């Protein structure tokens, strides 16, 4: 890809005060309140260490969950985890722009690291708007004057237009962090220089996102085959006229996906040889897994793709030169219905093709099943990755590009 934004190598960081937006939103045990996975913190440690080693005063801004959710909490525990991962002391400030926070930032010494409080504790962060309008929010007005540089490393949230993600780019010289830069380069390059045959494995519950990806990659000729799993497969099957059972059809209706079914019918008509859907599916029968052919589907909930489908899909994957996978094949958290997700991930891991795994549940499955080290790239951001695959621009990246032009005289 052609880089139109600045990166941290473009700036002199010695003794500079740098604000870094990271995404360390992590799964938290609802009972103990303990962080269950520190993967994102490990990823961002690369950027944080680089800034600290180059003499910057590094202030971290992040979020955890959103208001109303059980895991909406402070970042105190994240601070301890980050300190352990970095092997460096990270100081926690339990506010965002209070006089205490401002004084602590002003008193920093080079190499020092501070993590501010959960930015979503401040109500402005829940509002989406243009970078120009976000630059006028209290959050930006209070914090921006304290910094020489803003670094956005939060690729996982790059599709969101919130103050902490796009507002600083209007008023402070800005750059992409190492994770943001790596994600954009890897995914964009893979999409631009696709080796054929190229296979997309689309599953999970967000059928609307997957259908948008499907439409984009078939229209521009990126993909040769789309293998559908999860709710995406159910939507496609319904579009073919298959009987998937009243309760599964009702679930699709309740999710608001009937419009997507209509769109799928048009795609199937235009790309009937490219869109592959299951020949059998897995249901629960007498507390056991049972694989059932599509033409014999009872009115029971669907939990996974069937074993014959898994065999067919695995064969296509192993012949592919490029593989993009987004969304699990079924309810992989239940061992009875993990087969589809596990076998397809295994096929991807053992294929000779270049593999990119989208973020979210499919990334978690790859890690938990031990396939993560065999994949070429596992994205840190589900939503952002989906938007790129669907041919959409990421607002936070566009904001970085505009900032690069606006502050072009500030680079070294």
């Amino acid at each position: 890809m052609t880089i139109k934004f600045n990166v941290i190598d473009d700036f002199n960081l010695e003794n500079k005060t740098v604000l870094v937006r990271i995404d360390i939103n992590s799964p938290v045990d609802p009972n103990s309140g303990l962080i269950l996975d520190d993967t994102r913190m490990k990823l961002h440690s690369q950027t944080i260490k680089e800034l600290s080693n180059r003499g910057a005063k590094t202030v971290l801004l992040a979020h955890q969950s959103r208001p109303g959710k059980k895991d909406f909490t402070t970042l105190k525990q994240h601070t301890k985890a980050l300190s352990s991962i970095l092997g460096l002391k990270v100081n926690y400030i339990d506010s965002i722009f209070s006089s205490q926070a401002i004084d602590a930032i002003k008193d920093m010494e080079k190499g020092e690291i501070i993590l501010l409080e959960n930015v979503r504790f401040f109500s402005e962060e829940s509002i989406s708007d243009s970078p120009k309008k976000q630059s006028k929010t209290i959050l930006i007005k209070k914090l921006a004057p304290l910094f020489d540089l803003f670094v956005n490393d939060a690729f996982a949230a790059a599709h969101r237009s919130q103050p902490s993600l796009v507002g600083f780019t209007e008023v402070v010289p800005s750059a992409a962090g190492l994770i943001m830069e790596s994600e954009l380069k890897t995914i964009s390059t893979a999409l631009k220089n696709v080796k054929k045959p190229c296979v997309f494995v689309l599953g999970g519950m967000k059928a609307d996102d997957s259908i948008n990806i499907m439409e984009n990659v078939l229209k521009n000729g990126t993909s040769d085959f789309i293998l559908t799993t999860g709710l995406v497969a159910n939507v496609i099957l319904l579009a073919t006229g298959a009987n998937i059972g009243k309760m599964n059809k009702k679930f699709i209706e309740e999710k608001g996906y009937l419009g997507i079914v209509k769109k799928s019918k048009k795609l199937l008509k235009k790309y009937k040889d490219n869109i592959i859907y299951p020949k059998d599916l897995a249901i629960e029968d007498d507390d056991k897994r049972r694989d059932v052919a599509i033409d014999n589907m009872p009115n029971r909930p669907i939990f996974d793709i069937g074993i014959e489908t898994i065999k067919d899909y695995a064969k296509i994957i192993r012949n592919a030169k490029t593989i993009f996978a987004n969304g699990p094949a079924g309810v992989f958290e239940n061992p009875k219905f993990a087969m589809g997700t596990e076998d397809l991930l295994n096929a991807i891991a053992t294929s000779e093709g270049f593999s990119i795994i989208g973020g979210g549940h499919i990334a978690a499955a790859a890690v938990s099943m031990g396939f993560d080290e065999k994949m070429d790239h596992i994205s840190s951001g589900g939503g952002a990755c989906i938007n790129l695959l669907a041919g959409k621009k990421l607002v936070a990246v566009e904001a970085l590009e505009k900032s690069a032009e606006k502050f072009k005289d500030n680079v070294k």
Side-chain angles (χ1 to χ4, degrees):
M1 68 174 289
T2 303
I3 292 180
K4 298 178 182 177
F5 50 80
N6 290 322
V7 295
I8 56 179
D9 278 344
D10 294 321
F11 295 88
N12 175 19
L13 301 172
E14 181 73 19
N15 221 24
K16 302 297 184 184
T17 310
V18 181
L19 179 64
V20 189
R21 178 58 160 98
I22 56 178
D23 188 339
I24 51 174
N25 187 29
S26 306
V28 174
D29 187 294
N31 298 315
S32 67
L34 296 174
I35 293 172
L36 297 173
D37 181 71
D38 61 3
T39 301
R40 284 185 172 178
M41 284 183 260
K42 286 176 180 173
L43 288 171
H44 286 296
S45 68
Q46 302 169 47
T47 298
I48 300 166
K49 277 183 180 177
E50 179 70 11
L51 293 170
S52 182
N53 290 340
R54 290 172 62 179
K57 305 169 187 177
T58 307
V59 180
L60 308 173
L61 193 59
H63 72 275
Q64 171 62 41
S65 192
R66 61 180 73 249
K69 292 202 168 186
K70 288 182 180 179
D71 56 350
F72 185 55
T73 184
T74 73
L75 298 184
K76 187 174 183 178
Q77 191 186 168
H78 297 66
T79 310
K80 292 178 182 177
L82 265 176
S83 295
S84 177
I85 291 165
L86 289 166
L88 299 167
K89 185 180 180 182
V90 179
N91 296 306
Y92 167 63
I93 305 292
D94 65 353
S95 60
I96 306 167
F97 50 74
S98 65
S99 56
Q100 175 202 6
I102 290 171
D103 289 343
I105 294 168
K106 287 180 177 178
D107 293 339
M108 289 179 77
E109 296 182 1
K110 74 174 189 175
E112 191 176 344
I113 305 166
I114 284 177
L115 175 61
L116 300 177
E117 187 53 280
N118 186 344
V119 70
R120 287 185 178 170
F121 279 7
F122 190 57
S123 60
E124 279 184 327
E125 187 65 13
S126 64
I127 300 168
S128 291
D129 216 325
S130 68
K132 198 161 191 174
K133 287 186 178 179
Q134 299 292 30
S135 71
K136 301 183 189 306
T137 57
I138 296 171
L139 174 73
I140 310 301
K141 286 181 178 179
K142 286 278 189 178
L143 288 180
L146 305 172
F147 296 98
D148 300 298
L149 178 67
F150 170 67
V151 173
N152 192 343
D153 205 30
F155 172 77
H159 56 303
R160 303 191 184 281
S161 188
Q162 293 165 336
S164 70
L165 293 159
V166 300
F168 292 102
T169 60
E170 287 283 319
V171 291
V172 181
S174 304
L178 298 180
I179 293 301
M180 179 74 82
E181 182 185 0
S182 173
E183 288 271 16
L184 292 170
K185 278 184 177 178
T186 301
I187 297 171
S188 299
T189 301
L191 284 171
K192 194 173 181 180
N193 304 294
V194 172
K195 291 183 179 179
K196 302 283 193 162
C198 174
V199 174
F200 275 69
V201 187
L202 302 179
M205 296 295 287
K206 296 180 179 178
D208 50 348
D209 288 337
S210 289
I211 300 300
N212 286 335
I213 292 173
M214 189 185 299
E215 182 179 34
N216 180 56
V217 298
L218 288 173
K219 186 178 179 181
N220 64 26
T222 300
S223 181
D224 296 291
F225 297 107
I226 307 284
L227 309 182
T228 61
T229 69
L231 188 61
V232 184
N234 296 354
V235 167
I236 292 295
L237 284 167
L238 191 59
T240 68
N243 177 23
I244 60 171
K246 288 182 180 179
M247 62 170 56
N248 295 305
K249 183 179 179 181
K250 187 179 180 183
F251 183 76
I252 290 171
E253 186 176 357
E254 287 172 350
K255 292 284 288 184
Y257 287 157
L258 287 184
I260 301 297
V261 174
K262 290 182 180 178
K263 187 175 184 178
S264 299
K265 286 180 180 179
K266 293 179 181 178
L267 289 173
L268 283 163
K269 190 175 181 180
K270 193 171 183 180
Y271 304 104
K272 60 182 175 65
D273 295 329
N274 308 94
I275 302 171
I276 316 296
Y277 42 87
K279 61 170 64 169
D280 60 344
L281 297 165
I283 61 168
E284 190 170 43
D285 189 9
D286 198 20
D287 202 33
K288 293 179 182 178
R289 176 189 176 110
R290 181 158 70 94
D291 296 89
V292 184
I294 292 300
D295 56 7
N296 197 31
M297 183 61 56
N299 186 30
R300 305 277 280 278
I302 297 165
F303 293 115
D304 196 10
I305 55 174
I307 194 163
E308 294 303 319
T309 299
I310 293 170
K311 290 177 184 176
D312 290 347
Y313 284 11
K315 187 176 180 181
I316 296 171
I317 288 167
R318 288 199 173 95
N319 287 326
K321 297 293 185 204
T322 310
I323 307 142
F324 293 88
N326 191 77
V331 186
F332 71 93
E333 298 88 348
N334 185 331
K336 286 182 289 191
F337 303 106
M339 186 191 296
T341 301
E342 186 168 8
D343 285 6
L344 294 188
L345 283 172
N346 181 55
I348 296 168
T350 55
S351 76
E352 294 181 2
F354 183 85
S355 56
I356 290 184
I357 306 298
H361 286 95
I362 189 70
V367 172
S368 67
M369 292 173 180
F371 295 116
D372 50 319
E373 292 186 6
K374 295 178 181 178
M375 303 299 182
D376 291 295
H377 182 73
I378 295 183
S379 179
S380 63
C385 185
I386 285 169
N387 275 269
L388 279 181
L389 296 178
K392 298 178 182 178
K393 291 188 176 180
L394 302 180
V395 287
V397 177
E398 287 186 297
L400 285 174
E401 292 173 348
K402 289 176 183 175
S403 184
E405 180 61 30
K406 187 173 185 177
F407 294 101
K408 59 187 175 184
D409 295 332
N410 292 78
V411 297
K412 67 181 181 182

